[in-house]
Amino acid sequence: MVLAIVLGMLTGLSLGLTGAGGGILAVPALVLGLGYSMTAATPVALLAVGAAALVGALDGLHKHIVRYRAAIFMAVAGALLTSAGIRISHALPEKLLVTLFAAIMLWIASKMLRRPTADTPHQPPCRLNPDTGRLRWTGASTATLAAIGALAGLFSGMLGVGGGFLIVPALKRFSNLSMHSIVATSLMLIALISLSASAISLAHGARIPSSGWVFVAAAMAGMALGRQLAPRIPSDRLQQGFSLLTVVVAVSMLVRSYLL
């Protein structure tokens, strides 16, 4: 149980600091640290990430920095593909899922290690109305937000990840929201998608063992700590450390799957 507490805390701490990465670390922590299979780890990871993200989202709502209408809209779009993702996860061999998951982790690490560039569109489709401070709901912004939510929902069901690794860079590229607002909105969306995916997974017969509930509670505590520490740590250092950890975990999962 001590290991479940430590790994859960680290998962929630990562999510709280970056607004992403909770699911990416939750699944390997459960598989490598606690001996879960990928299929068994998915519902536990979803519940842990969703509950932890909810803690962060409530903090963002209290501070009035969450774009909750956009988050709810993207969550609805994501829910439409969550069931498809779960069916895919049960249909594919576990070794293939591990390979796909590791490939995604390595891609994320490479993106986070790169320094920001000036390639963001001058007029992103999702823009704030300077008069009201709210998002402009146009055809382009609606389609963009729907696509982000749908992809996040698909990966949530298929790989047990909350989708923050996609949501944060996507909103950063296709909106003019501040990074502070993006992280808070991402946490709300992750909470909505992960908790709904967890409910669907449980309805399909998944079970949460006692160590899984300990992991969930520890992740929530880690999130609370991460939201307190985030403003005090340079973002560049956070990204570099998270990227290196992601590479190590991805390689470890590949080694375990193919060589052990």
Side-chain angles (χ1 to χ4, degrees):
M1 289 299 177
V2 174
L3 185 58
I5 294 173
V6 172
L7 294 176
M9 284 284 294
L10 291 175
T11 298
L13 183 63
S14 168
L15 186 59
L17 290 174
T18 65
I24 287 177
L25 294 181
V27 172
L30 291 166
V31 172
L32 298 176
L34 300 180
Y36 286 51
S37 68
M38 280 287 289
T39 302
T42 296
V44 179
L46 287 170
L47 183 58
V49 171
L54 181 60
V55 173
L58 291 175
D59 176 67
L61 286 170
H62 177 70
K63 296 176 180 176
H64 304 289
I65 57 175
V66 176
R67 300 293 164 179
Y68 61 89
R69 293 183 181 87
I72 293 172
F73 176 73
M74 287 188 287
V76 171
L80 297 177
L81 288 184
T82 298
S83 292
I86 292 174
R87 287 194 295 269
I88 291 172
S89 72
H90 288 287
L92 294 178
E94 180 163 330
K95 185 173 289 187
L96 180 58
L97 279 176
V98 171
T99 303
L100 177 60
F101 192 72
I104 292 173
M105 293 176 73
L106 292 173
W107 177 78
I108 294 165
S110 69
K111 298 292 287 185
M112 293 187 72
L113 280 172
R114 296 175 185 173
R115 290 187 176 277
T117 60
D119 60 354
T120 302
H122 180 63
Q123 290 292 331
C126 305
R127 301 193 301 274
L128 292 175
N129 185 328
D131 296 326
T132 64
R134 297 181 177 179
L135 281 174
R136 299 177 186 268
W137 286 89
T138 65
S141 65
T142 300
T144 300
L145 293 175
I148 295 171
L151 288 175
L154 180 66
F155 279 113
S156 293
M158 187 168 62
L159 299 172
V161 297
F165 69 90
L166 173 67
I167 298 163
V168 171
L171 288 178
K172 187 175 181 181
R173 179 173 179 84
F174 296 112
S175 78
N176 63 352
L177 298 175
S178 69
M179 196 62 198
H180 200 41
S181 181
I182 287 174
V183 169
T185 302
S186 173
L187 288 175
M188 181 173 180
L189 179 53
I190 290 170
L192 292 172
I193 291 179
S194 296
L195 291 177
S196 63
S198 176
I200 293 172
S201 184
L202 291 172
H204 287 181
R207 293 291 179 266
I208 308 294
S210 57
S211 61
W213 288 113
V214 172
F215 185 89
V216 171
M220 296 174 69
M223 163 61 73
L225 177 61
R227 296 309 296 157
Q228 294 296 318
L229 294 177
R232 306 176 186 180
I233 303 176
S235 59
D236 287 347
R237 293 288 179 265
L238 286 175
Q239 289 188 6
Q240 291 168 4
F242 179 76
S243 298
L244 293 176
L245 179 59
T246 300
V247 171
V248 171
V249 173
V251 172
S252 298
M253 292 189 71
L254 289 173
V255 170
R256 178 181 181 275
S257 179
Y258 286 93
L259 300 180
L260 300 181

